[in-house]
Amino acid sequence: MNSFTLSRRNFFTGALGVGALLTTTACGSTGGNATSKITWSTWGTPEEGQRFKKFNSHFKADNPTIAATLQMVPSYSDYHSKLLTQLTSGTAPDVFYVGDDYIGKFVSAGVLMDLTPVVEGADAKVKLDDFNPALFGAGRTDTGIFALPNDCNPDVFWFDKKALAAAGITENPAELAAAGNWTIETFLAMCAKLAAKGLTGAMFWNYWSTHWSWVAANGGQVFNAAGKFVLPEDPKSVAALHSLADAFTNKSFTVADTLPDGSGADSLFVSHKAGFYVQGRYGIATAEQSGTKDDYDIAPWPTVSGKPGSSGVAASYLVINAKTKAPAAAKTFVGEFLCAKGQTLRLADGGNAVPSVKGADSVVLEGNYPAHAKSFLEMTNTGFEDFATEAKMPGLSSDVSTAMLTMYQGKTSASDTIAAVAKLMEKAV
Amino acid sequence: MTAVLAKTGLPGAPVVERAEAAWRKRDRWWGLVFVSPQLAGMCAFVLLPFAVGLVLAFAQWDGLTEITWVGLANFQAQLADPVFLRSILNTLGLALITVPVGLALSLLIAVALDRLRGRTGYLLLYFAPVMTSSIAISLVWQQILRADGPLNQAFFRVFGIPGPDWLGDPHFVLLAVSIVTIWSSLGLNVIIFLAGLQGINSNVLEAARVDGAGSLRTMMAIRLPLLSPVVFFSTVVAVISSFQTFDVVFVLTKNGGPENSARTIVYQIYDEGFRHFQFGMASAASIILLVLTLVVTAVQLGLQRRFVHYES
């Protein structure tokens, strides 16, 4: 019997040969067509995660040479700190979401790629003109377009017909709005009637859209064209914040964030204990929970004149990491994600937001729910994004809301709150 | 033959130099090899971050753009910020509640368990929170402490009046954080005290009994003084741990509590760094916390001469 001795040299030679063979085989498996790998990240609920995974599957089918891996962060509040750590350490995803209260900072820091080529040119999947211009916010500067809105959520007034009827209110806010008679006076009177019946008047989330939409609805100004915080110098704005403080302290309005877990805003709304609930298209899910979704409809923000005005539209942005190693694949992904087809895929079937581009509006009107769903589109067209001055300073928007909360809770006066917010703005600048 | 020489000898005696044995030299190198992963870890995860933090404390940096040197401005800004000063007060308040109450409770339990049969089961129960993730603990307590939660429901059943809004009322939030902190660290202190109690020489206790000392007298005159080094050690560790409270505050209050009523220094560091992207300010706050911890620990070390009895 012949014995075989494997010398060290033979072992290494053999190992190199096997390695070379495996490498050749691996290359051969793609047919010489290398796959670009990109990662992208966002925040969201598990349900939203399913929609993103569905998008990923479609994207893979349409672009077999690009492998897109999703990194999902459950909490919005933790998302940007993780992103910052990743950017600092050079491990950030190729494509990622940024919230509207942080986008200004990321743009001014120069860590994002200019997306102008993504939305220009004959081959562009989505064109710049397709986007609703009101949604760019701080993502667009004089030097380029560094962030494109994924989709948006105009803060609409969801109202409960049953709760309104219980308070003896016979008028329909959506019909009043359509007739140009949806005034702040009427709205406050409705809230007072609801409160008198032991019901909650209106529930608002404590964030920039609530404060600034109320100021805008009352004809006031928050920032001037140069980005200066001018609210304290505008009598209409000051009066608006006083009336807002009064409505919260007399219990006509409630801060949704601070309601106890057992009887949160969603619970109050689906159990017909609140008249109005100010939030985005995701309110469809809340209305469906009640089992009587036809009791709910939407109206725009009331105004002094009753004619439609401008109100806050929350948005998130999709950006490309300036240091991506796969710029072409990242651009393809962004184009596919934001084009009408991509947005329809993500937002159809009771999705939680309104598309940011033309051509996908039908998802909002599908199923004819809510009855005045068209308001979502109209309010998006006339709305405004978080102001760039506020969005440029991380945490500023949140600090302003913290200051506002003490006013909503009746712990500080409107005048003191305006002074405190002005100080925050000044410090940020 | 090695060239390394060692100096030995008695006072006054001529210095005798002898070569170091080869095996000893080899052992020393192997020793270095074995401790090198630990040294590398310490350099990478303790010394380097500390050095970076120290440098950043004198700079302005948002994590994304260039670093700008600002000298002592970060320290001045922090010490002039009422929110930061509030966080210092909250941190000290938390230590003042959790350390004495936590240690006293642990000592009581340890004494009770010292002579109890089947104490292993109790120890496991007390130690379970120590092994559980503080985030999980905080999430459970968040539900317990809700205004309409089980604690207040029980309170209402017993006293007939509604309990406080533990996490929503600025007067109660720090107390709520203290309760959770004490509960979660109880088991570790119980184990340490129990070990200390069982380490006391039984001859001493026997002698005290023969001399007619009762249980209380034995406790106050014998066991507590002999346990004082353990109590001292636990106090130092508990104070440092209390100064580092973050996760419970983060989960229970989300934003430091209403009116910053539970904002601790470490929460402030997180807030400045990862919410406001102000790493210079965060680093300055870290250095202030380090100095505060060193001062308090130095005071404790100074006091030990008066209160701690070391058995010779």
Side-chain angles (χ1 to χ4, degrees):
Chain A
M1 191 175 166
N2 290 333
S3 65
F4 173 73
T5 309
L6 185 64
S7 70
R8 195 178 295 175
R9 181 175 294 176
N10 285 340
F11 173 78
F12 280 119
T13 310
L16 280 173
V18 171
L21 185 67
L22 287 173
T23 310
T24 315
T25 314
C27 291
S29 67
T30 58
N33 205 357
T35 299
S36 296
K37 289 180 181 173
I38 58 164
T39 52
W40 68 286
S41 70
T42 179
W43 62 85
T45 61
E47 293 77 24
E48 287 164 338
Q50 291 305 317
R51 285 176 180 272
F52 292 133
K53 281 177 186 165
K54 185 179 160 191
F55 173 81
N56 257 12
S57 305
H58 280 80
F59 179 76
K60 181 72 184 165
D62 292 346
N63 302 274
T65 57
I66 303 174
T69 307
L70 169 64
Q71 289 178 1
M72 192 89 180
V73 177
S75 161
Y76 180 77
S77 57
D78 299 335
Y79 176 79
H80 294 92
S81 53
K82 180 180 177 184
L83 192 57
L84 175 67
T85 314
Q86 290 176 311
L87 282 165
T88 308
S89 60
T91 57
D94 302 281
V95 178
F96 50 87
Y97 265 49
V98 179
D100 54 7
D101 49 346
Y102 279 89
I103 189 65
K105 180 68 202 175
F106 285 95
V107 170
S108 60
V111 294
L112 308 179
M113 184 185 281
D114 185 356
L115 301 179
T116 309
V118 177
V119 291
E120 282 183 353
D123 297 336
K125 282 272 180 184
V126 60
K127 300 279 173 56
L128 184 60
D129 291 342
D130 294 339
F131 286 92
N132 187 324
L135 300 179
F136 282 99
R140 187 178 189 177
T141 68
D142 295 339
T143 55
I145 303 161
F146 296 93
L148 293 166
N150 292 299
D151 45 50
C152 63
N153 258 309
D155 251 358
V156 301
F157 273 56
W158 283 87
F159 62 90
D160 178 359
K161 296 174 204 167
K162 215 169 182 175
L164 296 186
I169 298 164
T170 52
E171 293 162 302
N172 181 312
E175 287 166 9
L176 285 175
N181 295 322
W182 181 224
T183 64
I184 287 177
E185 193 182 357
T186 307
F187 165 63
L188 289 175
M190 285 183 179
C191 287
K193 281 185 180 176
L194 285 156
K197 279 283 176 186
L199 302 167
T200 300
M203 299 181 292
F204 295 84
W205 293 105
N206 178 28
Y207 79 120
W208 65 266
S209 176
T210 295
H211 340 304
W212 307 150
S213 294
W214 184 259
V215 172
N218 280 275
Q221 196 181 10
V222 183
F223 293 92
N224 65 12
K228 185 176 180 267
F229 186 64
V230 293
L231 186 149
E233 298 141 31
D234 180 6
K236 283 183 183 173
S237 303
V238 172
L241 276 200
H242 276 274
S243 68
L244 187 60
D246 291 345
F248 276 104
T249 47
N250 70 25
K251 309 286 182 198
S252 289
F253 294 177
T254 297
V255 181
D257 313 60
T258 57
L259 289 168
D261 284 354
S263 53
D266 283 11
S267 305
L268 289 178
F269 204 53
V270 299
S271 57
H272 304 290
K273 288 177 182 163
F276 296 92
Y277 190 8
V278 184
Q279 56 177 1
R281 188 168 173 246
Y282 46 88
I284 291 176
T286 314
E288 281 174 345
Q289 281 172 27
S290 69
T292 55
K293 67 175 193 174
D294 288 338
D295 286 336
Y296 301 95
D297 198 356
I298 60 166
W301 280 71
T303 57
V304 176
S305 67
K307 303 280 183 291
S310 183
S311 56
V313 184
S316 61
Y317 294 93
L318 197 64
V319 303
I320 296 180
N321 184 350
K323 291 182 178 171
T324 179
K325 287 176 182 161
K331 284 175 192 169
T332 304
F333 182 86
V334 169
E336 296 266 8
F337 197 83
L338 299 179
C339 71
K341 184 186 163 193
Q343 298 210 24
T344 305
L345 202 64
R346 291 185 285 119
L347 303 173
D349 304 324
N352 59 1
V354 175
S356 58
V357 294
K358 293 172 194 165
D361 293 354
S362 57
V363 296
V364 175
L365 304 174
E366 70 184 3
N368 295 319
Y369 187 81
H372 288 83
K374 210 178 168 192
S375 284
F376 284 125
L377 302 173
E378 290 165 354
M379 290 175 71
T380 302
N381 291 335
T382 58
F384 57 85
E385 239 304 317
D386 192 8
F387 299 100
T389 308
E390 199 173 329
K392 272 182 185 164
M393 197 68 198
L396 177 60
S397 194
S398 168
D399 288 344
V400 169
S401 295
T402 303
M404 286 290 187
L405 184 64
T406 58
M407 181 184 88
Y408 296 153
Q409 292 174 328
K411 291 171 185 166
T412 51
S413 68
S415 305
D416 288 347
T417 306
I418 292 170
V421 172
K423 205 171 172 184
L424 284 171
M425 296 289 183
E426 192 184 330
K427 191 178 162 188
V429 171
Chain B
M1 173 63 77
T2 175
V4 177
L5 301 171
K7 289 182 178 179
T8 59
L10 297 168
V15 173
V16 178
E17 292 186 337
R18 63 180 166 81
E20 187 182 22
W23 65 266
R24 190 186 287 275
K25 188 185 174 193
R26 224 176 21 246
D27 276 5
R28 199 171 62 226
W29 279 109
W30 275 115
L32 281 174
V33 168
F34 284 126
V35 299
S36 58
Q38 174 72 11
L39 281 175
M42 197 169 171
C43 289
F45 300 113
V46 179
L47 296 179
L48 185 64
F50 175 72
V52 171
L54 193 62
V55 171
L56 280 181
F58 300 95
Q60 195 174 53
W61 188 47
D62 60 9
L64 300 169
T65 49
E66 294 294 308
I67 295 176
T68 314
W69 301 108
V70 293
L72 292 170
N74 289 330
F75 291 95
Q76 288 165 345
Q78 284 290 15
L79 292 171
D81 183 0
V83 176
F84 181 65
L85 297 179
R86 178 75 194 259
S87 75
I88 292 180
L89 285 179
N90 287 339
T91 305
L92 292 174
L94 194 68
L96 281 174
I97 299 171
T98 56
V99 176
V101 175
L103 292 183
L105 269 176
S106 306
L107 187 60
L108 278 176
I109 294 168
V111 169
L113 292 180
D114 188 26
R115 289 173 186 271
L116 191 72
R117 276 189 166 188
R119 61 170 169 258
T120 313
Y122 286 102
L123 281 177
L124 279 174
L125 281 177
Y126 285 118
F127 205 68
V130 180
M131 295 184 294
T132 311
S133 150
S134 57
I135 301 296
I137 286 172
S138 305
L139 285 170
V140 171
W141 274 96
Q142 194 181 41
Q143 295 305 311
I144 294 171
L145 293 168
R146 267 169 36 188
D148 58 345
L151 185 67
N152 276 1
Q153 284 176 18
F155 190 84
F156 185 75
R157 271 197 294 275
V158 174
F159 299 105
I161 50 170
D165 184 359
W166 294 96
L167 303 175
D169 187 331
H171 299 104
F172 286 93
V173 181
L174 200 61
L175 189 59
V177 172
S178 304
I179 290 170
V180 180
T181 307
I182 290 169
W183 180 82
S184 57
S185 61
L186 205 62
L188 186 64
N189 291 325
V190 168
I191 294 274
I192 293 171
F193 285 148
L194 196 58
L197 285 170
Q198 293 183 340
I200 294 173
N201 192 333
S202 57
N203 292 339
V204 182
L205 297 174
E206 188 59 35
R209 259 195 299 276
V210 170
D211 287 348
S215 297
L216 187 63
R217 176 81 184 188
T218 310
M219 185 71 206
M220 301 307 289
I222 308 287
R223 299 174 92 187
L224 267 185
L226 289 179
L227 198 64
S228 58
V230 177
V231 174
F232 171 70
F233 166 77
S234 297
T235 308
V236 172
V237 171
V239 168
I240 293 172
S241 167
S242 165
F243 278 11
Q244 294 173 343
T245 304
F246 169 73
D247 36 13
V248 176
V249 172
F250 183 72
V251 178
L252 275 187
T253 70
K254 290 192 174 74
N255 55 1
E259 298 168 33
N260 297 311
S261 50
R263 177 181 285 253
T264 58
I265 301 179
V266 182
Y267 184 87
Q268 169 81 0
I269 293 168
Y270 163 80
D271 194 47
E272 288 285 12
F274 292 101
R275 215 167 60 85
H276 290 95
F277 295 7
Q278 298 277 356
F279 288 103
M281 295 283 267
S283 301
S286 310
I287 300 298
I288 294 171
L289 173 63
L290 173 71
V291 171
L292 189 67
T293 309
L294 286 175
V295 168
V296 173
T297 308
V299 170
Q300 287 177 293
L301 287 170
L303 288 175
Q304 72 160 327
R305 290 192 203 111
R306 292 178 61 186
F307 299 106
V308 181
H309 171 82
Y310 288 100
E311 204 175 1
S312 60

